[in-house]
Every structure is written in C-alpha cells, then in structure tokens.
Amino acid sequence: MDSRVSELFGGCCRPAAGGALRGRGGAAPGGGSGGGSSKAKKKNGRSRGGKANNPPYLPPEAEDGNIEYKLKLVNPSQYRFEHLVTQMKWRLQEGRGEAVYQIGVEDNGLLVGLSEEEMRASLKTLRRMAEKVGADITVLREREVDYDSDVPRKITEVLVRKVPDNQQFLDLRVAVLGNVDSGKSTLLGVLTQGELDNGRGRARLNLFRHLHEIQSGRTSSISFEILGFNSKGEVVNYSDSRTAEEICESSSKMITFIDLAGHHKYLKTTIFGLTSYCPDFAMLVVSANTGIAGTTREHLGLAMALKVPFFIVISKVDLCSKATVERTVKQLERILKQPGCNKLPLLVNSDDDAVTAAQQFAQSPNITPIFTLSSVSGENLDLLKVFLNILPPLTNSKEQEELMQQLTEFQVDEIYTVPEVGTVVGGTLSSGICREGENLVVGPTDDGKFLRLKVCSIQRNRSACRVLRAGQAATLALGPFDRSLLRKDKLRTGEKAVVRFRFIKHPEYLKIGAKLLFREGVTKGIGHVTDLQAITTKENGLEESLGPGQLSF
C-alpha cells in the first residue's frame, strides 16, 4: 500500500491480511522511516518488549453516516438490546440499506480490541440485532491489536446489509471507460455471466447489440449490464439466475455497468453516456500490454472534468510479463500524481486493500484504486468483486430525502417503440417520486409546449417496479403517446453559434491568442481570442478603448 495512503488513513494495529494502521499523530509503530537510535524508537511508540505504546486510533465516530463503533456487545439487557436495534436501523437508513460496524473500538476511535470469547459473544449479539431489522452480517476483516497488552486481542469489521424487500435495493451506476481493445466488454461479460473468457472474446458476445459489433469485437453503442450482491455479500449474476428479474429479486445491492465505446469515432456516444446517465463512479480499463494509448487520456480527462470519481482496472495481465505490468502501473501512477490530476494511487493487492480502497474511495476524492487482473485466468478478479460489494453510495439518506421532496423530474435519454406496449422512454429520475399510473407533462416540444401523458408502467433493470425514487434509472411505458413529439437531450459536439459573454465581476485584460475557459453546470467550453474590436468612449476628456473580444470555440 502506498505510504501516503497509510499516512492519510492509518492507525496502529496489525491487520490479519496485511496493511497497517498508525497511531494518532501519524507516528509509525516501527520507529518512523526504518532507521535511528533506540531513543527515537521509544519516542515513536515502541517499548523494549516490542509493544506499541502509542494508542492506536481511528477517526472519532460520526453521529451521521453508516459507520458505528462498538467496544463490546456482550449479553446486553433487553432494554439495551432494543436501543441497539434502533441504533442499527438509523445506521442502515443513513447508508441506504448498508452499515459498517467496528467491534472492539471506542466512540473516540481508540482501538481497544476484544478477546476471542468477547468477540464471539459480540458477533452473536450483532447477528441477533440484524435479524431483528431484517438484515444479514458479513465479517469483512479482523485485525490484531498489539497495543500495551500481552493477551491477543482483535477488532472486527462487519458489514450489515438489509435483505431486499419491495425491490428497493441499493443501485450504483458505474460507467466503463477505456481505449478500444482494452478489454472493457470482456471484463463485464466475465463479471455478469460468471464464466472466464477463453482468450478470444467469448465472454463479450452477450453484451453486443449490433451485428457489426460482434464482427469487429468493438462496442459502438451504450449497453447496460447488471451485477448483484445479496445480503450476505455473495455475487448474484447470470450463472445462478436466468433473467434480470431473478437477479433483482435476489440482490440487496445492484451494480449497473454502463458500457461505453472506446473508439475515437464514437466519442460523441461516450460523452452522451457520461453526461446523461449520471454515473456514480467510473471504471477506467487499461490494457497491460499497450498501456496508456488512444482515448485513455481523453476518457480520464472527461471523468475528471465531469467530477465522476473513478478507479482503474489494468486488464490482460496474463498476456504480459510482470515487468510489463509494473511499467504500466508506474505509467498510470505518474499521470495520476501530476498537478492536473493530483490523485493518490492505491494499488490493490489483497482483500484488506480492497476493503480499505472501497471505504476511502467514496470519502476522499483524491484516492484512485488500481486493480491488476485477467479475464482469462481470473487473477485478482475476486478483489474487484470485494471492492464493488463494499463500495458505498455517494449520497446519504438525508440528501436522498431532500431530492425526493422536490418536484418530479425525469430526464429522457432513450426513446423506444415496443410492440403491444407503445412508446417507452429510458432515463434517470433527477428529483421527486414517480408512481405507476401518475400523470405528468413532457416537453418542451419544438414549438415550446408541454404535453400531458400518463405513466402506464415502470421497469428498473428489466423488472417491474411500482415506485421510482430520485436518483434511480428506469424505463417508463407511455402507452399510445406519439413518439415523434418526444426528443432526448443530447450533448452535441462541433456545433457553432454566435454568443455574447460578459465578465460578471470586473473587466479583464484580453489580447489576441489569449485562451479562455468557461463552464456553466456540466457544460464546458475552451477557446482563444481571434480578434478584438475597440470601442472608443470619452470620459473626463480622455479616450479609452474597451474591447469585447470575438472568441473561437
């Protein structure tokens, strides 16, 4: 793990599966940078017996959020048990159906640890609490605490997840970016179908929508694939289920992958997918044998410009030597650390790294996890699944409730005509709540009007749904509504127009050739001044030249 990551998210205990935590103040338990006198070692927290004297800490427990610290849960009274259950309901609500419990940790973050017997009793109580609220628990990792004690003690990190009910599973959207032939569709095929690739692209065939995609092996359109996780953290995909509806019914958490095109001539489609489908995260796939090539830099820049948190997957490691893979990793790390990116790369090599990466990735915009894997041999594929299983949503319950209180607004991204169903639109509910049978208005049309319509039915991930909440993607059946009256908002490149800009706060000095960058929401433009027209005014008997510049974009 990168030393800078340890400094940011450390403590002072020894994980059972590798990694390290640091004491409060950032002092390393082993005496700093590896050298120095015995005085320096004592100062940095080691006694002669080798035990850490500096107490190990996590950040103090927050009142909000889905993370709960518990020192121990041994034989609570009935009153205390009911209080603990109420507390768990709150944490699950904050995490939209998921919560993380740190057992053996005080509220101030001190890692005390428990004996084997105490930990066993605490986990038994936690399991009873979860059953009470209709949830399951999964032990994520255990760590040994060696602070000021000769008796082995552990802290345990536990994931609590609600059993799915009424199809209100947690849904995260992940846009898949990367250069052509980097292995994006093959990786998605392996994840969603549950079978490894044969080295010739067999796993990706079920993802393609057009004949020319099958013939060329290259994606040219936007497709959606789903990967589910049940309440116990187990993978749910097409290897166990025949239909998408079965996957939805069995899953507490759903990852919807938005497979985007990698070829430069389909960049317009890729930009549309990134802007219209509102992905929570992006997965940038880089081929180990070609490194950063083609549209990789451009896709990276798009994700950063749109402020979509991204992680990186280096694929095809089975085709390369270890030295080639390391060279690609170093190439990516060098780019991520540049001032333009200012990211902190975290190479994931173990389950412990995957858990840490998932938790810190959503909290810190600077962390960028990097995975190295193979879709043919399956090497490190499980680490990516662990990461996706634990990856928390970006919005908490309060932000979700605020969105749901607003007026209903559905952004139309796709328009279809389905036999015996009629007109169907696909997109994302930006705000409010949409119910089956509800009356809405759509527009504006070409003449600026809004038309009334009725939502006949709703589907999420190809399964029926009666209620749609803010932030969720779905398709709405509109019955016999005239499709020609609908249009989807699409970001178009290469368009030209004459526009007038005015500096809001104060005048600026301009000259021919000066570059200018503007942004309004998610719309961005960059250009340069091609001409300056002087406007002469007289004030106090003096002539001044003021020039609104002509800009070329």
Side-chain angles (χ1 to χ4, degrees):
M1 187 182 295
D2 191 291
S3 59
R4 292 195 295 165
V5 178
S6 297
E7 290 171 6
L8 280 175
F9 306 114
C12 181
C13 66
R14 186 175 65 252
L21 295 175
R22 293 185 182 275
R24 181 171 289 184
S33 60
S37 65
S38 59
K39 289 183 180 180
K41 291 183 179 180
K42 286 183 179 180
K43 185 178 180 180
N44 281 295
R46 286 285 183 183
S47 64
R48 292 180 182 178
K51 298 296 180 184
N53 287 329
N54 281 346
Y57 279 87
L58 288 174
E61 181 188 70
E63 292 185 6
D64 298 329
N66 69 334
I67 299 177
E68 178 72 23
Y69 296 168
K70 288 298 174 194
L71 180 57
K72 63 173 69 174
L73 298 169
V74 179
N75 297 325
S77 64
Q78 185 60 33
Y79 176 81
R80 172 66 174 160
F81 181 78
E82 293 299 331
H83 175 73
L84 291 170
V85 169
T86 303
Q87 203 173 49
M88 178 175 282
K89 288 179 180 178
W90 163 253
R91 292 299 185 186
L92 286 170
Q93 182 182 345
E94 284 288 284
R96 293 167 59 185
E98 292 183 349
V100 175
Y101 272 67
Q102 301 277 4
I103 309 298
V105 183
E106 291 187 351
D107 288 347
N108 63 357
L110 178 64
L111 305 181
V112 178
L114 299 178
S115 65
E116 285 283 352
E117 186 177 348
E118 290 175 324
M119 184 60 72
R120 194 161 44 244
S122 296
L123 291 177
K124 183 178 179 181
T125 302
L126 189 65
R127 190 171 286 106
R128 285 175 53 211
M129 293 161 52
E131 290 174 355
K132 188 81 172 178
V133 300
D136 284 322
I137 69 170
T138 305
V139 175
L140 297 178
R141 54 183 172 178
E142 293 181 340
R143 313 180 195 181
E144 292 181 4
V145 181
D146 60 359
Y147 160 67
D148 198 26
S149 175
D150 294 326
V151 180
R153 293 183 303 181
K154 291 182 179 179
I155 64 169
T156 301
E157 192 169 354
V158 183
L159 175 67
V160 183
R161 178 175 289 165
K162 287 271 288 181
V163 176
D165 58 339
N166 197 26
Q167 294 185 331
Q168 294 309 315
F169 47 79
L170 177 60
D171 189 10
L172 300 181
R173 292 186 292 276
V174 178
V176 184
L177 303 172
N179 189 40
V180 63
D181 298 331
S182 61
K184 301 185 298 297
S185 298
T186 299
L187 174 59
L188 293 191
V190 170
L191 289 172
T192 59
Q193 302 297 324
E195 293 183 4
L196 295 176
D197 187 53
N198 63 350
R200 296 187 295 275
R202 181 181 62 188
R204 68 190 177 198
L205 294 179
N206 291 328
L207 278 64
F208 289 147
R209 301 173 63 183
H210 305 291
L211 178 61
H212 71 86
E213 292 180 330
I214 297 174
Q215 293 171 341
S216 66
R218 295 176 175 177
T219 301
S220 64
S221 59
I222 300 173
S223 63
F224 299 87
E225 298 300 325
I226 56 175
L227 173 68
F229 295 94
N230 62 20
S231 56
K232 297 180 180 179
E234 299 167 340
V235 171
V236 182
N237 55 24
Y238 286 107
S239 64
D240 304 312
S241 309
R242 293 184 178 181
T243 64
E245 187 173 2
E246 290 181 11
I247 295 177
C248 293
E249 289 176 352
S250 305
S251 300
S252 295
K253 182 177 186 175
M254 191 76 67
I255 306 294
T256 301
F257 292 105
I258 307 170
D259 190 15
L260 303 176
H263 199 283
H264 192 274
K265 69 178 180 180
Y266 302 122
L267 183 61
K268 181 178 177 181
T269 302
T270 300
I271 294 175
F272 173 59
L274 267 177
T275 54
S276 297
Y277 292 105
C278 307
D280 299 292
F281 305 99
M283 177 172 71
L284 180 66
V285 182
V286 179
S287 176
N289 55 348
T290 59
I292 299 175
T295 57
T296 303
R297 289 178 183 269
E298 200 159 7
H299 286 187
L300 176 62
L302 284 171
M304 294 193 63
L306 296 172
K307 296 184 178 179
V308 180
F310 65 92
F311 58 95
I312 298 175
V313 171
I314 300 176
S315 63
K316 302 184 181 181
V317 298
D318 57 296
L319 297 179
C320 309
S321 64
K322 186 176 180 180
T324 303
V325 175
E326 289 176 353
R327 185 169 64 247
T328 302
V329 171
K330 289 179 180 178
Q331 187 182 18
L332 283 166
E333 289 177 341
R334 188 165 57 251
I335 289 178
L336 292 172
K337 292 177 181 178
Q338 287 177 352
C341 291
N342 197 27
K343 298 290 184 180
L344 197 60
L346 170 58
L347 186 61
V348 178
N349 291 317
S350 65
D351 286 347
D352 190 75
D353 287 348
V355 173
T356 301
Q359 293 174 348
Q360 303 302 338
F361 178 55
Q363 297 176 13
S364 172
N366 292 329
I367 295 293
T368 302
I370 300 177
F371 298 84
T372 57
L373 54 80
S374 168
S375 298
V376 176
S377 66
E379 180 183 347
N380 290 340
L381 200 62
D382 286 341
L383 298 183
L384 180 59
K385 293 177 183 177
V386 169
F387 175 81
L388 294 172
N389 176 40
I390 304 170
L391 190 61
L394 291 176
T395 56
N396 58 32
S397 59
K398 184 178 179 181
E399 294 169 331
Q400 182 78 0
E401 286 294 330
E402 289 175 354
L403 281 175
M404 289 166 56
Q405 296 298 325
Q406 298 176 16
L407 291 175
T408 300
E409 182 178 319
F410 186 86
Q411 178 181 328
V412 177
D413 297 324
E414 297 288 347
I415 305 171
Y416 314 94
T417 299
V418 180
E420 301 181 5
V421 175
T423 301
V424 176
V425 295
T428 305
L429 189 66
S430 305
S431 59
I433 296 177
C434 181
R435 294 180 174 86
E436 188 178 292
E438 191 169 7
N439 293 313
L440 300 175
V441 294
V442 63
T445 59
D446 291 340
D447 55 0
K449 296 180 180 179
F450 282 78
L451 306 175
R452 295 184 179 276
L453 53 78
K454 182 179 180 180
V455 178
C456 300
S457 63
I458 304 173
Q459 283 200 350
R460 284 185 66 201
N461 289 315
R462 305 166 198 168
S463 61
C465 174
R466 292 187 178 276
V467 180
L468 189 65
R469 291 172 171 80
Q472 296 177 344
T475 54
L476 311 181
L478 308 180
F481 191 85
D482 187 359
R483 150 173 198 166
S484 64
L485 298 175
L486 296 171
R487 58 186 174 87
K488 53 186 178 180
D489 294 327
K490 203 164 188 175
L491 179 63
R492 296 183 292 180
T493 58
E495 296 293 319
K496 294 183 178 180
V498 177
V499 294
R500 175 175 292 180
F501 293 95
R502 181 172 63 88
F503 293 111
I504 296 176
K505 293 185 177 181
H506 46 70
E508 297 284 354
Y509 174 75
L510 294 177
K511 63 180 181 179
I512 294 176
K515 290 184 179 180
L516 188 69
L517 172 70
F518 73 89
R519 184 182 73 177
E520 176 62 33
V522 297
T523 302
K524 298 178 176 64
I526 187 170
H528 61 276
V529 179
T530 59
D531 188 30
L532 290 172
Q533 295 180 351
I535 299 178
T536 304
T537 61
K538 286 188 177 182
E539 187 174 343
N540 299 327
L542 299 175
E543 289 191 354
E544 290 186 306
S545 293
L546 305 175
Q550 293 182 353
L551 307 179
S552 174
F553 292 96

